[in-house]
Amino acid sequence: MEKELTAIPGARIDSFLAANYPDFSRNYFKQLIKEKAVLINSRATEPSYKLRENDKVSIIFPATTKTDFSKCPLEIIYEDDSFIAINKPFGISAHPVFGRSGRAVKIQEPTISDIISAQRNNSKIDRSGLVHRLDKDTSGLMIIAKTPAAQYNIMKQFMHRSVEKIYLALVHGIFIEKNGSIDAPLARDFRDRKKFTIGFGRTAMTHFKVKEAFKDNTFLEVHPLTGRTHQIRVHLNSIGRSILGDKVYYSFESKNESEKLNISRQMLHAWKLTIMHPKTKKEIQLSAKLPADFSKALKLLKKSAAIALCIFSLALFSNISVVAATTAKKKTASPAPAGNKKLKSLEIQIIQLSDDLANVEDSFKVLSDNQQKLYDDQADSKNRVRETNLAVIELNRKLTELQAQFDQFKTDFKMQKVTGQDKKNAEQTRESNNPQPALTQDTADKLAGLQTAVELLKKELSSIQERMGIAKAQTTLEPENANRDKIKKMLTSPWAGAVALGVSILTLLIVIIPIIAN
């Protein structure tokens, strides 16, 4: 399709064409000029040519051909006339790596760009279609434009940060907060040009949200507001939460954890993208499912967490289990006593109270392990301490009620024992079938065992309250110590003497001048 335009004197030909066709980039027109698809006065030209008065500009747009991706080896999530969305596997580079000389570094494996180009039937105009990139070992959603107009449109959306990007990451370490932000500029590491570091560079911001927490690791949902190279990996590593499997930005703990879980690549996946369709101008949301290795690592962590929970529960309820096993061995063939129903109810309440106590213990452990972080967020710390205090108060109330019920049951037990003895004395002439099986040795043993369980719960609750008191005292003393340090620093400053002398002179002037004036 050929078109003619009226020239604007003094304008570069490539800039002139880009201004007349805003859906296409200037680089696209540079390529057309090199391919001699743009003519000035019926002659080929250069991209730097400046137009003159009465110049006639003609442009031949290449015919749009539909590309068949039916034999593409990549997993295609979405496809229309403007672009396709693929689920990029890990271990494949998005495009060739370029060295300092500007030449592409040879890579043995094919890149995403190579695979896409192979489907385009060797088009003269380079339309790789890549509008953004993912690291080699990062899996997930990538968009490939089918036309130059779509490519330029979507690239502008990424450049203007109007594309919403959501990643999934598996990191080493736990978070006290449910969500947070990292605002730190990124610069190229001067010691290793292939790496980036926190420094005086380009602004970068990353939001994150905890999806699931494990014993030593966390499953995160990450929202990068900017699109800097290695941004998510560098930001998370900077706060001590390295992505598992990352061979560049890692800690020794995360490396050991990766080896333990048999993770061979970084656990980072481009999950969702929300863009405006280049043609329809309607918002479209795309998502890519987790790859098998990522899902396997998550399942392994969940399984480990479940096993650890079972072990903890068995250890916590060991005393009650021993009492129950002993009671079962001594059980006779006599019918279930009426008093045993109340005894069973008390046993269930003790087990429920143990569950509640375990939850408070876990909550307090998180507070203790992350005490230094809690100082940085006093409001969040006070809320968590207040919630834990309320939980302890509620447990105290339940324990008091349980003790009252227990005492009442023991009183009833004694009364039943006295009544049974009176009946036995009154009926000495005949064999007595005691209708109160609650008087058996089994019931007495079970009662003693439950009394022991209640006492253990009291001791554990007392221990938690004592540790909470210490933590609260430390939290209270922290601001006081900080203020004391500020005052000490101010007094030991080399300027302290000069400031004191100045204040003294000013005070004398204020007092002496009125006296002289009088």
Side-chain angles (χ1 to χ4, degrees):
M1 181 176 61
E2 184 175 353
K3 290 192 176 184
E4 289 190 2
L5 299 172
T6 303
I8 298 177
R12 277 179 57 119
I13 181 61
D14 54 354
S15 300
F16 171 75
L17 292 173
N20 277 272
Y21 298 98
D23 288 338
F24 298 91
S25 67
R26 197 170 76 172
N27 286 332
Y28 173 69
F29 286 112
K30 281 184 178 180
Q31 189 67 30
L32 286 182
I33 293 169
K34 289 178 181 179
E35 295 290 337
K36 299 182 180 180
V38 176
L39 303 177
I40 306 294
N41 302 322
S42 302
R43 293 181 181 179
T45 184
E46 296 294 329
S48 59
Y49 175 81
K50 291 187 177 181
L51 294 170
R52 301 171 185 174
E53 194 172 354
N54 299 323
D55 276 347
K56 290 184 179 180
V57 181
S58 60
I59 177 172
I60 303 172
F61 286 98
T64 304
T65 57
K66 291 187 177 181
T67 307
D68 182 14
F69 286 98
S70 60
K71 295 181 181 179
C72 182
L74 302 170
E75 179 190 351
I76 297 176
I77 299 169
Y78 175 88
E79 180 178 8
D80 62 18
D81 292 338
S82 298
F83 67 92
I84 64 169
I86 65 167
N87 189 358
K88 182 185 97 66
F90 67 90
I92 301 180
S93 299
H95 50 66
V97 179
F98 291 89
R100 291 189 177 182
S101 63
R103 294 182 178 179
V105 179
K106 289 185 178 180
I107 302 177
Q108 298 296 329
E109 303 84 3
T111 64
I112 297 294
S113 179
D114 295 332
I115 296 171
I116 296 299
S117 297
Q119 314 297 317
R120 296 189 183 276
N121 300 321
N122 299 319
S123 172
K124 290 183 179 181
I125 306 300
D126 179 23
R127 293 193 288 109
S128 64
L130 297 185
V131 296
H132 63 123
R133 65 182 296 275
L134 292 177
D135 294 333
K136 180 179 179 179
D137 279 346
T138 299
S139 58
L141 196 62
M142 276 192 72
I143 292 178
I144 314 293
K146 284 186 172 184
T147 65
Q151 182 174 355
Y152 185 54
N153 181 283
I154 299 174
M155 285 179 68
K156 283 197 296 184
Q157 292 185 51
F158 275 95
M159 185 174 61
H160 296 151
R161 301 175 187 172
S162 61
V163 177
E164 183 183 358
K165 298 169 286 184
I166 304 177
Y167 287 72
L168 297 177
L170 190 57
V171 302
H172 177 71
I174 58 174
F175 292 81
I176 190 65
E177 64 273 24
K178 292 296 181 184
N179 49 65
S181 298
I182 306 170
D183 186 0
L186 297 182
R188 196 174 288 276
D189 193 335
F190 67 91
R191 292 166 297 185
D192 186 348
R193 299 295 295 173
K194 294 179 180 179
K195 296 173 63 177
F196 289 81
T197 184
I198 302 294
F200 297 101
R202 305 173 72 185
T203 58
M205 178 173 282
T206 305
H207 294 330
F208 62 85
K209 181 169 68 175
V210 174
K211 286 181 71 68
E212 194 168 358
F214 305 101
K215 181 183 177 183
D216 299 314
N217 306 287
T218 308
F219 184 34
L220 293 180
E221 181 179 307
V222 186
H223 300 246
L225 268 66
T226 51
R228 310 302 181 203
T229 305
H230 300 178
Q231 176 178 318
I232 296 175
R233 297 162 63 190
V234 176
H235 270 177
L236 290 175
N237 184 62
S238 71
I239 62 171
R241 299 293 178 267
S242 306
I243 295 176
L244 292 180
D246 194 334
K247 298 180 179 63
V248 179
Y249 308 100
Y250 64 90
S251 62
F252 290 109
E253 293 83 359
S254 66
K255 183 179 180 181
N256 293 336
E257 189 71 17
S258 301
E259 292 174 352
K260 191 194 320 183
L261 294 171
N262 198 24
I263 293 173
S264 58
R265 63 99 176 183
Q266 61 202 27
M267 293 287 99
L268 184 61
H269 177 74
W271 183 32
K272 290 182 178 180
L273 278 177
T274 303
I275 66 169
M276 181 182 291
H277 195 282
K279 262 190 177 181
T280 64
K281 308 303 179 185
K282 292 181 179 179
E283 193 176 82
I284 180 170
Q285 187 180 78
L286 306 164
S287 63
K289 65 180 181 181
L290 280 173
D293 65 325
F294 206 127
S295 299
K296 183 179 179 181
L298 280 175
K299 288 178 181 177
L300 188 59
L301 285 173
K302 290 178 182 179
K303 185 177 180 180
S304 300
I307 293 173
L309 182 62
C310 289
I311 294 172
F312 175 76
S313 300
L314 288 172
L316 183 64
F317 302 135
S318 58
N319 290 328
I320 296 176
S321 299
V322 169
V323 171
T326 305
T327 305
K329 288 180 181 180
K330 295 181 179 181
K331 189 174 181 181
T332 62
S334 60
N340 272 7
K341 291 184 179 179
K342 186 177 289 187
L343 199 61
K344 185 65 176 178
S345 175
L346 287 173
E347 186 178 1
I348 291 172
Q349 289 186 56
I350 289 175
I351 293 174
Q352 182 61 46
L353 195 59
S354 298
D355 285 337
D356 295 339
L357 191 63
N359 291 335
V360 174
E361 178 77 26
D362 290 343
S363 178
F364 181 77
K365 184 177 182 299
V366 172
L367 285 171
S368 300
D369 292 344
N370 299 276
Q371 192 174 31
Q372 189 60 42
K373 287 187 178 181
L374 289 175
Y375 292 151
D376 299 333
D377 190 355
Q378 290 295 324
D380 186 58
S381 174
K382 290 178 181 178
N383 288 336
R384 290 177 179 274
V385 171
R386 184 165 59 252
E387 290 173 2
T388 308
N389 279 329
L390 290 174
V392 171
I393 292 170
E394 179 64 17
L395 282 174
N396 262 321
R397 186 186 65 78
K398 289 183 179 180
L399 195 56
T400 303
E401 291 179 357
L402 183 62
Q403 185 64 57
Q405 294 180 42
F406 202 85
D407 292 340
Q408 182 62 41
F409 184 83
K410 286 195 292 184
T411 303
D412 295 344
F413 180 86
K414 290 178 181 178
M415 290 298 295
Q416 290 176 13
K417 189 173 183 180
V418 171
T419 304
Q421 188 63 40
D422 290 343
K423 286 184 178 182
K424 186 175 182 181
N425 293 335
E427 299 175 0
Q428 291 179 353
T429 56
R430 62 185 181 85
E431 184 178 358
S432 175
N433 292 325
N434 190 0
Q436 296 291 338
L439 302 178
T440 63
Q441 186 62 36
D442 295 345
T443 306
D445 291 342
K446 193 165 188 177
L447 195 61
L450 289 177
Q451 177 67 60
T452 303
V454 171
E455 293 302 323
L456 287 173
L457 287 174
K458 284 183 178 180
K459 287 182 180 179
E460 289 184 26
L461 188 59
S462 175
S463 174
I464 288 177
Q465 287 177 305
E466 182 180 352
R467 284 184 287 163
M468 286 182 63
I470 294 171
K472 185 176 181 181
Q474 290 176 345
T475 306
T476 305
L477 287 173
E478 185 68 13
E480 294 178 1
N481 293 336
N483 292 333
R484 194 182 299 113
D485 291 341
K486 287 181 182 178
I487 294 171
K488 184 178 179 182
K489 186 177 180 181
M490 183 178 68
L491 291 176
T492 56
S493 170
W495 293 96
V499 172
L501 180 62
V503 171
S504 301
I505 294 171
L506 184 62
T507 304
L508 287 172
L509 290 174
I510 292 172
V511 174
I512 292 172
I513 289 174
I515 295 174
I516 295 174
N518 291 332

